[in-house]
Amino acid sequence: MSLSRRTVLKQGMFASALLALGGSSFLALREGLSLPIPEEGLQVFGPAEYATFQALARRAFPAREGFPSADTVRVAFLADRLLARGDPSIAREVRQVLGLFDNALAGLLFSGHVTPFSRLPPAAQDAVLEGWRSSRLVFRRTAHQALRALAHAAYYSHPDAVRATGFIAPEGFHDANAPVWRGSADGAFAGSGGTSR
Amino acid sequence: MMGRIWTGDEVTEDTTLTCDVCVVGSGAGGGVLGLELAKRGLDVVMLEEGGYHTRRDFDLDEAKAYSTFYQEGGNRATDDLAISIFQGRTVGGGTTINWCACFRTPPEILERWRDVHGVKGLDTAALTPHWDWLEERLSIRDWPIERANRNNRILWDGLGALGYSRGTVKRNVRACAALGTCGVGCPTDAKQSTLVTLIPEAVEQGMRLYANASVRQLSTQGIRVTAVHADVLDPATSRPTGKKLTVNAKVTAVCGGAINSPGLLLRSKLTGRGNVGKRLFLHPVVISQARFRERVEAYSGAPLTVYSRQFIDRGPGKLGWLLEVPPLMPLQSAVALSGFGAEHQEHMASLPHANALLSICLDGVHPGDEGGTVALRDASEYTRFKVRYPLRDFHWEGFREALKVSARIQFAAGAEQVMSPHSRPVVMRGEKDIALLDRAPYSPLECSVVSAHQMGGCAMGGSPETSVVDSTLRYWDLDNLFVVDGSVFPTALGVNPMETILGVARWGSQHVAAAVGSTA
Ligand SMILES: Cc1cc2nc3c(=O)[nH]c(=O)nc-3n(C[C@H](O)[C@H](O)[C@H](O)COP(=O)(O)OP(=O)(O)OC[C@H]3O[C@@H](n4cnc5c(N)ncnc54)[C@H](O)[C@@H]3O)c2cc1C
Ligand code: SF4
């Protein structure tokens, strides 16, 4: 549930400096994975962030029988839509995190590779993710948590993923046409409340 | 006066209202207060920033529910994301999406508020008639062990096997079908939230409720609040429409809940001599997950019906905890439970066999445990506050011991595997593995912590130097401003907070009503 974020990149001088450096360096400009943009368009992510997030989602949800793939579920697309519903500042921070995550300079500093995360082979991506998860720097763990939670929220918002867990929502209880009471002009309140006058 | 409920799309121009009392927030505190004042014949306007969602909207779709009915779309957390914070944002507030566990306040907590924090007149005797009334009105009844779902039964059995104290929980339900979906809204109106009980009754008594009205500021002059300023929100997007709602009331009651109430006061430059936003308590929770050979189906059946306070008091300087179980809905479990990649998928694939135990830690009752803080963020961050909650050795020691106890209980009840909430979970296959928990890392984000019980931030107390409101819930430095919700608690409770908030609000309504009389 807890998808995104926070002042992830504002936490500590080191992170701020890295962000500033990352934006201007040669390495930072190394291009990450490119993926076709969904036909519905994107509301929050830019193309690079979209591809980075989808690359992460492929590692979060490796092939497993009975479970839909990250691509079937379109995790990055659903994440984009989840972010679009929230406070714009959250989306801004997730985009910053993704930028840093795929940044080759950050990669060089943290794990010694100069290939953006999204273009690394799967095993190397897993190692990068593990590096962020278990880092001694709290801001890296925060970033990992933000992206992990967003990916899980997006994936398990898809009915096929929910079904794969074995969960079956109770049926026959929800009434999409239940009347909505707004006051006594609509008659007495039809909910379960009595009165206590 | 005809009462009614309006939504943001119906407020098509800037609007100014006058009334006796403006109630900000419609949750446990606001819901009770609104009814009590309306019943006294007072003209009440209630403003709620969340939407007016009713059983028509409670379609059990988790993703929609969290992003619509919860604060910050279900993403509220401390600044470092180390503690996820679940809190309601809808008409009825937390009572609309909570798990229906009802407890009266432990007497020792009220005694502490009196003896340590200088609160006067709020004791078990004063609250009992209000609880009696509420229990009748909201149908708060014991949920006997025979009706417990397997998830709760595991806790019951494990506690029994180890000789620990145990009890069943009272629930505010009527004709509950035990669907287990309380956290995403009750589709049958069985849950006796303020949404389906006290608020409609207050509206029938004449209260005007505006949903999608986010109060941004209180104007003050001298020792009085002169106006309440709200942005009207678009019900579809929850973004401001540009229309303003202004309420000129004789008395204002802030009932936005812990975090939002202090946040609103701070936005209004009301700092309570530096006390607003301090002493925020979260009942921080660590979750121990177990797998059983048989199906548990912890997403089905009344969610929370068994508890134990065996470990609530571990002696001076030691964090104690309350034991309960949560429902395990897929999306919520996916985010809350640990692990990543194939390991995480493995846990999700066995969701029907999963059980989880909550250790709900009692904060704010030990010397030096000042809890967390709420502060303002950038004005562009519309729904967000800067929430800090430093986790110290004191907390981690308690979490570690709580996880060990949980694992023992789960094994005693027959678990085949128990898993800790570490970002790389400690996996235990039997009693002998419990010692592994001693070697696990305990620090922010390496061991996950959550909260669904926020309290404090506008503490009640005996002195304006150490608290925000006095023992009548009145803001110390203003004549006609009250705070009536969980934010006034000087400490956490060690039991689920709703019934305490309901009781305190009903008890406090006399003071709010008196303030209208004295200023009319
Ligand atoms: C998932 C979950 C499960 C829970 N389970 C239980 C349980 O089983 N038992 C129990 O006792 N407790 C439970 N709780 C906690 C309980 O629901 C809360 O403690 C309680 O509702 C808090 O009451 P309150 O009046 O302080 O605030 P709330 O009930 O949160 O109400 C505050 C309301 O004010 C509104 N508001 C805030 N700021 C503004 C503003 N500026 N303008 C307008 N409106 C505003 C909010 O949108 C909200 O609706 C649970 C909570 C959650 C999230
Ligand atoms: S368990 Fe009962 S109260 Fe909760 S959602 Fe289901 S029917 Fe409603």
Side-chain angles (χ1 to χ4, degrees):
Chain A
M1 187 187 321
S2 173
L3 9 130
S4 46
R5 77 2 152 103
R6 263 334 124 168
T7 42
V8 171
L9 299 178
K10 292 179 204 149
Q11 284 182 16
M13 300 273 291
F14 176 66
S16 318
L18 185 70
L19 197 64
L21 189 67
S24 60
S25 77
F26 161 73
L27 278 178
L29 301 178
R30 288 188 71 136
E31 287 213 357
L33 180 70
S34 168
L35 288 177
I37 300 297
E39 50 188 53
E40 300 93 329
L42 293 168
Q43 294 179 359
V44 168
F45 287 148
E49 293 143 5
Y50 171 76
T52 303
F53 198 79
Q54 190 59 21
L56 177 142
R58 288 171 182 168
R59 301 316 308 144
F61 310 106
R64 183 188 169 103
E65 184 153 356
F67 278 72
S69 73
D71 286 354
T72 308
V73 167
R74 303 203 299 164
V75 177
F77 173 71
L78 293 180
D80 177 81
R81 291 305 192 256
L82 278 181
L83 287 175
R85 285 197 231 161
D87 194 300
S89 61
I90 297 179
R92 210 162 41 238
E93 287 173 11
V94 171
R95 295 182 62 184
Q96 281 181 317
V97 171
L98 280 171
L100 184 60
F101 198 72
D102 208 36
N103 179 298
L105 179 64
L108 179 64
L109 288 177
F110 293 140
S111 40
H113 62 76
V114 293
T115 307
F117 168 84
S118 58
R119 299 186 81 91
L120 287 171
Q125 287 180 331
D126 288 344
V128 169
L129 284 160
E130 176 57 18
W132 284 75
R133 183 198 67 77
S134 59
S135 173
R136 283 189 300 127
L137 301 170
V138 175
F139 94 89
R140 289 184 74 204
R141 300 206 298 272
T142 301
H144 183 271
Q145 165 64 4
L147 299 179
R148 167 195 182 277
L150 178 59
H152 287 170
Y155 182 79
Y156 287 101
S157 68
H158 192 285
D160 290 348
V162 171
R163 240 187 315 276
T165 68
F167 173 76
I168 300 164
E171 282 180 17
F173 293 93
H174 173 242
D175 176 2
N177 300 311
V180 176
W181 184 88
R182 282 176 183 259
S184 38
D186 298 339
F189 177 68
S192 57
T195 55
S196 58
R197 273 159 268 179
Chain B
M1 179 79 58
M2 277 275 273
R4 188 176 185 273
I5 298 173
W6 282 267
T7 45
D9 49 337
E10 296 179 290
V11 183
T12 53
E13 55 189 33
D14 290 355
T15 304
T16 300
L17 307 166
T18 55
C19 62
D20 291 324
V21 185
C22 177
V23 176
V24 179
S26 65
V32 172
L33 183 66
L35 173 61
E36 288 303 316
L37 298 175
K39 276 203 310 198
R40 286 174 165 87
L42 296 175
D43 178 10
V44 181
V45 170
M46 180 179 279
L47 305 178
E48 164 59 54
E49 67 178 5
Y52 180 42
H53 303 291
T54 64
R55 73 189 156 105
R56 172 196 286 240
D57 306 307
F58 302 147
D59 61 5
L60 313 182
D61 173 348
E62 274 196 279
K64 183 185 112 186
Y66 303 133
S67 62
T68 315
F69 316 143
Y70 281 63
Q71 290 289 343
E72 298 185 46
N75 297 307
R76 185 160 272 186
T78 49
D79 251 25
D80 57 1
L81 298 193
I83 309 180
S84 300
I85 297 173
F86 306 119
Q87 207 173 9
R89 185 181 195 256
T90 183
V91 171
T95 74
T96 300
I97 44 90
N98 76 17
W99 301 340
C100 306
C102 296
F103 288 88
R104 295 186 176 197
T105 322
E108 66 274 16
I109 292 290
L110 294 172
E111 284 156 21
R112 167 172 288 275
W113 291 2
R114 180 193 62 205
D115 299 341
V116 179
H117 300 277
V119 173
K120 297 188 193 77
L122 185 67
D123 53 21
T124 301
L127 285 168
T128 296
H130 302 291
W131 285 326
D132 288 345
W133 185 88
L134 285 156
E135 289 176 7
E136 190 53 38
R137 178 67 182 87
L138 303 183
S139 188
I140 295 173
R141 304 268 186 276
D142 188 47
W143 190 268
I145 191 62
E146 298 72 47
R147 298 179 72 184
N149 70 1
R150 180 83 194 107
N151 200 28
N152 281 279
R153 193 81 213 197
I154 285 167
L155 174 56
W156 180 263
D157 292 348
L159 289 165
L162 295 174
Y164 295 148
S165 68
R166 57 187 183 176
T168 51
V169 173
K170 289 187 185 161
R171 303 180 68 229
N172 56 319
V173 294
R174 202 175 272 195
C176 169
L179 304 179
T181 53
C182 293
V184 294
C186 178
T188 67
D189 278 351
K191 187 195 302 188
Q192 300 295 284
S193 57
T194 60
L195 168 73
V196 302
T197 57
L198 311 187
I199 288 174
E201 190 176 344
V203 171
E204 284 178 340
Q205 299 276 345
M207 184 177 85
R208 292 172 279 169
L209 166 59
Y210 287 81
N212 314 113
S214 175
V215 176
R216 308 311 296 169
Q217 206 150 19
L218 310 176
S219 293
T220 56
Q221 217 167 35
I223 55 165
R224 298 185 60 74
V225 173
T226 50
V228 177
H229 303 279
D231 282 354
V232 176
L233 308 180
D234 176 349
T237 62
S238 222
R239 306 257 202 267
T241 61
K243 301 290 175 272
K244 307 282 179 197
L245 201 52
T246 306
V247 183
N248 297 320
K250 290 175 189 159
V251 171
T252 296
V254 171
C255 311
I259 300 180
N260 282 48
S261 285
L264 172 58
L265 296 190
L266 290 172
R267 275 205 302 265
S268 309
K269 310 243 175 329
L270 298 170
T271 60
R273 308 184 198 188
N275 292 311
V276 173
K278 302 267 173 64
R279 296 192 71 79
L280 172 73
F281 300 109
L282 296 178
H283 266 175
V285 172
V286 283
I287 306 176
S288 180
Q289 197 199 333
R291 199 180 64 209
F292 284 74
R293 200 175 302 279
E294 71 272 20
R295 289 174 77 84
V296 178
E297 299 183 351
Y299 37 74
S300 160
L304 196 175
T305 59
V306 168
Y307 76 99
S308 171
R309 298 187 85 230
Q310 172 82 32
F311 299 95
I312 202 70
D313 183 2
R314 295 170 63 229
K318 296 239 171 173
L319 192 65
W321 62 87
L322 161 75
L323 279 162
E324 291 175 349
V325 301
L328 291 176
M329 298 282 283
L331 193 158
Q332 190 176 40
S333 305
V335 175
L337 301 180
S338 301
F340 190 80
E343 184 188 36
H344 187 270
Q345 292 279 76
E346 179 66 31
H347 304 313
M348 292 306 293
S350 58
L351 190 69
H353 296 262
N355 148 266
L357 284 197
L358 304 174
S359 299
I360 301 173
C361 296
L362 169 57
D363 46 350
V365 299
H366 292 284
D369 183 7
E370 300 291 316
T373 56
V374 180
L376 297 180
R377 297 167 72 93
D378 191 298
S380 67
E381 299 182 37
Y382 197 81
T383 57
R384 306 171 73 192
F385 297 99
K386 196 177 288 175
V387 179
R388 298 229 160 102
Y389 192 100
L391 291 167
R392 300 182 283 113
D393 289 349
F394 158 77
H395 298 102
W396 294 119
E397 186 274 341
F399 297 159
R400 190 187 65 225
E401 294 309 308
L403 290 172
K404 290 202 249 174
V405 168
S406 290
R408 268 183 219 118
I409 292 171
Q410 288 166 315
F411 284 126
E416 59 179 18
Q417 179 188 291
V418 175
M419 215 177 74
S420 76
H422 290 86
S423 67
R424 163 164 292 177
V426 176
V427 179
M428 294 158 271
R429 298 212 160 71
E431 277 272 342
K432 62 175 187 342
D433 292 338
I434 293 175
L436 294 173
L437 286 168
D438 284 327
R439 278 175 262 146
Y442 291 91
S443 64
L445 294 145
E446 287 193 289
C447 177
S448 100
V449 181
V450 302
S451 160
H453 299 166
Q454 304 75 36
M455 291 157 279
C458 298
M460 172 173 24
S463 157
E465 302 312 322
T466 53
S467 60
V468 175
V469 297
D470 66 17
S471 298
T472 68
L473 307 181
R474 187 196 307 253
Y475 184 81
W476 278 106
D477 295 326
L478 292 171
D479 260 8
N480 64 342
L481 176 64
F482 290 78
V483 183
V484 186
D485 58 22
S487 74
V488 302
F489 294 0
T491 68
L493 305 175
V495 293
N496 308 55
M498 173 173 62
E499 193 169 342
T500 301
I501 299 171
L502 297 168
V504 167
R506 192 156 188 274
W507 164 87
S509 63
Q510 58 180 320
H511 301 300
V512 181
V516 180
S518 65
T519 60

